[in-house]
């Protein structure tokens, strides 16, 4: 699933007086690999809310929990299609793309931490965003 900044509009709530008040906005990203289906299923069965409970947590509390994964080196190959199928069933993935980092910035985040993202993608995001980009094993263009 790719996100847009308008998908985070539920992070505001109204006070009793009718004025907007920001809710907490927390993204819990669980790094995963294409081959880690059993681990993801284990997380789903133990502590990660599913279905309506996951959506309710986002809308009421401003807490987003997703498995984070990039795209395979070959566009739309069997690995990408398997993740797309799994996401259509569970709706609990965020594909690590530049647009997601931009959506987080527009939603009010002060920084983005990425790990094991291709260096050109990390560099593009670092130079395009106004917020701090912290990178782990992503090349020299991020802090970290």
């Amino acid at each position: 699933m790719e996100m847009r900044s308008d998908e985070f509009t539920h992070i505001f709530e109204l006070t009793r007086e009718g004025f907007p008040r920001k809710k907490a906005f927390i993204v819990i990203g669980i790094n995963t690999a294409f081959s880690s289906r059993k681990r993801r299923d284990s997380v789903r069965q133990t502590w990660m809310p599913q279905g309506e409970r996951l959506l309710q947590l986002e809308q009421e509390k401003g807490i987003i929990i997703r498995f984070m994964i990039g795209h395979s080196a070959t566009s739309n190959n069997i690995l990408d299609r398997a993740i797309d199928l799994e996401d259509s069933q569970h709706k609990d993935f965020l594909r690590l793309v530049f647009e997601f980092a931009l959506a987080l910035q527009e939603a009010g985040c002060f920084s983005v931490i990425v790990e094991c993202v291709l260096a050109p993608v990390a560099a593009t995001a670092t130079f395009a965003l106004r917020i701090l980009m912290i990178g782990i094993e992503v090349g020299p263009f991020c802090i970290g």
Side-chain angles (χ1 to χ4, degrees), residues 23 51-63:
K23 289 194 262 184
E52 289 298 317
R53 289 180 47 227
L54 185 63
L55 184 61
Q56 182 180 13
L57 184 65
E58 292 174 16
Q59 293 175 342
E60 293 179 5
K61 304 292 185 189
I63 301 172

Side-chain angles (χ1 to χ4, degrees), residues 45-128:
Q45 293 169 4
T46 54
W47 66 269
M48 185 176 180
Q50 292 295 295
E52 289 298 317
R53 289 180 47 227
L54 185 63
L55 184 61
Q56 182 180 13
L57 184 65
E58 292 174 16
Q59 293 175 342
E60 293 179 5
K61 304 292 185 189
I63 301 172
I64 297 171
I65 305 173
R66 292 288 189 276
F67 292 107
M68 310 290 276
I69 193 165
H71 292 276
S72 64
T74 307
S75 179
N76 200 30
N77 74 9
I78 193 168
L79 297 173
D80 282 321
R81 290 193 304 270
I83 294 296
D84 290 341
L85 177 62
E86 187 178 344
D87 187 37
S88 71
Q89 295 168 345
H90 297 283
K91 301 196 182 333
D92 58 5
F93 278 92
L94 284 177
R95 301 303 288 260
L96 292 174
V97 294
F98 171 71
E99 290 80 11
F100 175 64
L102 185 62
L104 289 174
Q105 172 182 280
E106 296 305 315
C109 286
F110 65 89
S111 68
V112 175
I113 301 172
V114 294
E115 181 178 12
C116 298
V117 174
L118 294 174
V121 174
T124 300
T126 297
F127 292 116

